[in-house]
Amino acid sequence: VRLTFNDPSGLSTRKCQYLTPGKSDWQTVSCSGTTDSRDVQINLASGGDCPSDGTCFVRARITDTNNNPVSSITEKNFNIDRVAPLFTSDVTADKTTIKTNEAVTYSATVTDATSQIKICSLFVDDAPQGAMTISGTSTSKSYTKTTAGTFTVKIQCDDNAGNTATKSKQFTAQQPTPT
Protein backbone atom coordinates (compact mmCIF):
# COMPACT_ATOMS: atom_id res chain seq x y z
CA VAL A 1 0.00 0.00 0.00
CA ARG A 2 1.36 3.45 -0.87
CA LEU A 3 0.93 6.00 1.89
CA THR A 4 1.45 9.73 1.39
CA PHE A 5 2.46 11.73 4.44
CA ASN A 6 1.76 15.48 4.37
CA ASP A 7 3.51 17.50 7.09
CA PRO A 8 2.09 20.98 7.67
CA SER A 9 4.42 21.63 10.63
CA GLY A 10 7.71 22.00 8.79
CA LEU A 11 9.59 20.16 11.57
CA SER A 12 12.92 18.79 10.45
CA THR A 13 12.86 15.90 12.95
CA ARG A 14 9.70 13.85 12.83
CA LYS A 15 8.41 10.31 12.35
CA CYS A 16 5.98 9.01 9.74
CA GLN A 17 3.93 6.18 11.21
CA TYR A 18 1.18 3.77 10.20
CA LEU A 19 -1.12 1.36 12.01
CA THR A 20 -3.10 -1.65 10.79
CA PRO A 21 -5.79 -3.67 12.60
CA GLY A 22 -3.39 -6.57 13.18
CA LYS A 23 -0.86 -4.41 15.05
CA SER A 24 -1.05 -2.76 18.47
CA ASP A 25 1.93 -0.44 17.95
CA TRP A 26 2.43 2.25 15.32
CA GLN A 27 5.06 1.23 12.74
CA THR A 28 7.63 3.89 11.79
CA VAL A 29 8.92 4.52 8.26
CA SER A 30 11.52 7.08 7.22
CA CYS A 31 10.24 10.30 5.69
CA SER A 32 11.60 13.64 4.56
CA GLY A 33 10.26 16.87 3.11
CA THR A 34 6.76 18.24 3.60
CA THR A 35 5.18 15.54 1.41
CA ASP A 36 6.58 12.03 1.27
CA SER A 37 5.17 8.79 -0.19
CA ARG A 38 6.21 5.41 1.13
CA ASP A 39 5.24 1.87 0.19
CA VAL A 40 4.40 -0.23 3.24
CA GLN A 41 3.87 -3.98 3.34
CA ILE A 42 0.60 -5.18 4.81
CA ASN A 43 0.18 -8.88 5.57
CA LEU A 44 -3.08 -9.86 3.88
CA ALA A 45 -2.80 -13.55 4.75
CA SER A 46 -5.38 -14.99 7.10
CA GLY A 47 -4.37 -14.01 10.63
CA GLY A 48 -2.21 -11.15 9.31
CA ASP A 49 -2.68 -7.39 9.52
CA CYS A 50 -6.28 -7.65 8.28
CA PRO A 51 -7.49 -10.72 10.16
CA SER A 52 -10.91 -11.12 8.55
CA ASP A 53 -12.63 -10.55 5.23
CA GLY A 54 -14.43 -7.29 4.64
CA THR A 55 -13.24 -3.74 5.13
CA CYS A 56 -9.68 -3.27 6.36
CA PHE A 57 -7.80 -0.06 7.01
CA VAL A 58 -4.40 1.48 7.42
CA ARG A 59 -3.99 4.68 9.45
CA ALA A 60 -1.15 7.16 8.93
CA ARG A 61 0.17 10.03 11.04
CA ILE A 62 3.22 12.23 11.52
CA THR A 63 4.63 12.80 15.00
CA ASP A 64 7.57 14.67 16.45
CA THR A 65 10.37 12.65 17.98
CA ASN A 66 8.38 12.44 21.26
CA ASN A 67 5.33 10.92 19.47
CA ASN A 68 3.29 14.14 19.73
CA PRO A 69 1.03 14.38 16.67
CA VAL A 70 1.88 17.09 14.15
CA SER A 71 -0.75 15.97 11.62
CA SER A 72 -4.20 14.51 11.85
CA ILE A 73 -4.60 10.76 11.49
CA THR A 74 -5.70 9.77 8.01
CA GLU A 75 -7.32 6.44 7.24
CA LYS A 76 -7.37 4.46 4.00
CA ASN A 77 -10.03 1.72 3.75
CA PHE A 78 -9.97 -1.23 1.36
CA ASN A 79 -11.76 -4.57 1.02
CA ILE A 80 -10.24 -7.95 1.76
CA ASP A 81 -11.78 -11.05 0.18
CA ARG A 82 -10.10 -14.44 0.61
CA VAL A 83 -13.28 -16.50 0.25
CA ALA A 84 -14.31 -18.13 -3.02
CA PRO A 85 -17.85 -17.77 -4.35
CA LEU A 86 -20.39 -20.20 -2.89
CA PHE A 87 -22.60 -22.43 -5.03
CA THR A 88 -26.00 -22.75 -3.35
CA SER A 89 -27.41 -25.20 -5.90
CA ASP A 90 -26.27 -28.08 -8.08
CA VAL A 91 -25.71 -27.67 -11.80
CA THR A 92 -29.10 -28.16 -13.44
CA ALA A 93 -30.40 -28.64 -16.99
CA ASP A 94 -33.67 -27.16 -18.22
CA LYS A 95 -34.64 -30.51 -19.80
CA THR A 96 -35.12 -33.83 -18.01
CA THR A 97 -34.11 -35.77 -21.13
CA ILE A 98 -31.13 -34.41 -23.00
CA LYS A 99 -31.07 -35.26 -26.70
CA THR A 100 -28.20 -34.76 -29.11
CA ASN A 101 -28.36 -31.70 -31.37
CA GLU A 102 -30.89 -30.03 -29.07
CA ALA A 103 -30.02 -26.88 -27.09
CA VAL A 104 -30.12 -27.27 -23.31
CA THR A 105 -29.66 -24.47 -20.78
CA TYR A 106 -27.36 -25.32 -17.88
CA SER A 107 -27.54 -23.19 -14.73
CA ALA A 108 -26.59 -22.86 -11.07
CA THR A 109 -27.06 -20.44 -8.20
CA VAL A 110 -23.90 -18.82 -6.83
CA THR A 111 -23.21 -16.01 -4.35
CA ASP A 112 -20.24 -14.01 -3.09
CA ALA A 113 -20.61 -12.04 0.13
CA THR A 114 -17.66 -9.67 -0.20
CA SER A 115 -16.65 -8.74 -3.73
CA GLN A 116 -19.48 -10.07 -5.93
CA ILE A 117 -19.32 -12.42 -8.93
CA LYS A 118 -17.23 -11.16 -11.84
CA ILE A 119 -17.65 -13.97 -14.40
CA CYS A 120 -18.97 -17.52 -14.68
CA SER A 121 -17.87 -19.85 -17.46
CA LEU A 122 -19.31 -23.10 -18.80
CA PHE A 123 -17.11 -26.13 -19.51
CA VAL A 124 -18.21 -29.41 -21.10
CA ASP A 125 -15.80 -32.28 -20.54
CA ASP A 126 -13.23 -29.61 -19.55
CA ALA A 127 -13.55 -27.80 -22.90
CA PRO A 128 -14.44 -24.10 -22.44
CA GLN A 129 -17.80 -23.06 -23.88
CA GLY A 130 -17.66 -19.36 -23.00
CA ALA A 131 -19.01 -16.90 -20.48
CA MET A 132 -22.38 -17.49 -18.88
CA THR A 133 -25.17 -14.98 -18.32
CA ILE A 134 -25.36 -13.76 -14.72
CA SER A 135 -28.62 -12.41 -13.34
CA GLY A 136 -28.62 -11.78 -9.60
CA THR A 137 -27.40 -15.04 -8.09
CA SER A 138 -28.30 -17.18 -11.13
CA THR A 139 -25.92 -18.04 -13.94
CA SER A 140 -26.88 -19.87 -17.12
CA LYS A 141 -25.78 -20.76 -20.64
CA SER A 142 -27.19 -22.83 -23.48
CA TYR A 143 -25.15 -25.65 -24.99
CA THR A 144 -25.89 -28.27 -27.67
CA LYS A 145 -24.32 -31.72 -27.27
CA THR A 146 -23.72 -33.31 -30.69
CA THR A 147 -22.81 -36.86 -29.62
CA ALA A 148 -24.61 -39.36 -27.42
CA GLY A 149 -23.14 -40.47 -24.11
CA THR A 150 -22.23 -39.28 -20.64
CA PHE A 151 -20.54 -35.89 -20.28
CA THR A 152 -19.57 -33.54 -17.47
CA VAL A 153 -20.80 -29.95 -17.22
CA LYS A 154 -18.66 -27.71 -15.03
CA ILE A 155 -19.48 -24.14 -14.04
CA GLN A 156 -16.59 -21.99 -12.85
CA CYS A 157 -17.25 -18.64 -11.18
CA ASP A 158 -14.67 -16.00 -10.25
CA ASP A 159 -15.32 -13.10 -7.89
CA ASN A 160 -13.89 -9.61 -8.29
CA ALA A 161 -11.01 -10.47 -5.92
CA GLY A 162 -9.85 -13.39 -8.10
CA ASN A 163 -11.22 -16.24 -5.95
CA THR A 164 -12.59 -19.19 -7.94
CA ALA A 165 -15.21 -21.85 -7.27
CA THR A 166 -16.42 -24.70 -9.47
CA LYS A 167 -19.40 -27.03 -9.49
CA SER A 168 -19.74 -30.08 -11.76
CA LYS A 169 -22.37 -32.63 -12.65
CA GLN A 170 -22.61 -35.50 -15.11
CA PHE A 171 -25.39 -35.70 -17.68
CA THR A 172 -26.23 -38.18 -20.43
CA ALA A 173 -27.20 -37.19 -23.96
CA GLN A 174 -29.37 -39.59 -25.96
CA GLN A 175 -29.95 -39.88 -29.67
CA PRO A 176 -33.46 -38.62 -30.53
CA THR A 177 -36.06 -41.33 -31.01
CA PRO A 178 -36.65 -41.90 -34.73
CA THR A 179 -40.14 -41.01 -35.90
Side-chain angles (χ1 to χ4, degrees):
V1 173
R2 179 165 281 273
L3 299 177
T4 301
F5 297 91
N6 294 307
D7 181 8
S9 72
L11 289 175
S12 60
T13 55
R14 65 191 189 310
K15 294 191 281 186
C16 294
Q17 298 178 314
Y18 69 95
L19 180 70
T20 60
K23 305 282 187 205
S24 59
D25 296 323
W26 288 86
Q27 307 297 307
T28 301
V29 294
S30 64
C31 58
S32 60
T34 56
T35 300
D36 198 357
S37 294
R38 291 284 178 242
D39 290 325
V40 296
Q41 295 292 326
I42 296 177
N43 180 359
L44 298 180
S46 183
D49 292 333
C50 297
S52 61
D53 283 7
T55 302
C56 187
F57 67 85
V58 61
R59 292 184 178 128
R61 72 179 183 184
I62 299 173
T63 65
D64 64 19
T65 55
N66 294 319
N67 288 331
N68 297 310
V70 296
S71 70
S72 59
I73 294 174
T74 58
E75 185 169 297
K76 183 174 186 173
N77 293 304
F78 51 95
N79 285 325
I80 301 295
D81 181 2
R82 299 178 196 92
V83 178
L86 175 66
F87 281 92
T88 56
S89 75
D90 284 328
V91 176
T92 60
D94 70 341
K95 296 188 165 101
T96 54
T97 303
I98 298 171
K99 297 181 180 176
T100 58
N101 301 312
E102 197 173 86
V104 176
T105 299
Y106 297 94
S107 60
T109 303
V110 62
T111 62
D112 189 84
T114 305
S115 63
Q116 304 307 313
I117 302 298
K118 179 179 180 181
I119 188 169
C120 291
S121 302
L122 181 71
F123 295 81
V124 176
D125 291 332
D126 290 324
Q129 303 303 317
M132 302 179 75
T133 300
I134 300 172
S135 177
T137 60
S138 297
T139 185
S140 62
K141 183 169 179 64
S142 182
Y143 173 77
T144 301
K145 184 75 171 138
T146 58
T147 56
T150 301
F151 61 101
T152 301
V153 171
K154 176 174 81 175
I155 297 175
Q156 175 179 305
C157 295
D158 302 329
D159 66 18
N160 285 305
N163 301 306
T164 300
T166 60
K167 190 81 166 181
S168 300
K169 186 174 180 181
Q170 284 193 328
F171 294 91
T172 302
Q174 304 171 356
Q175 292 287 349
T177 306
T179 55

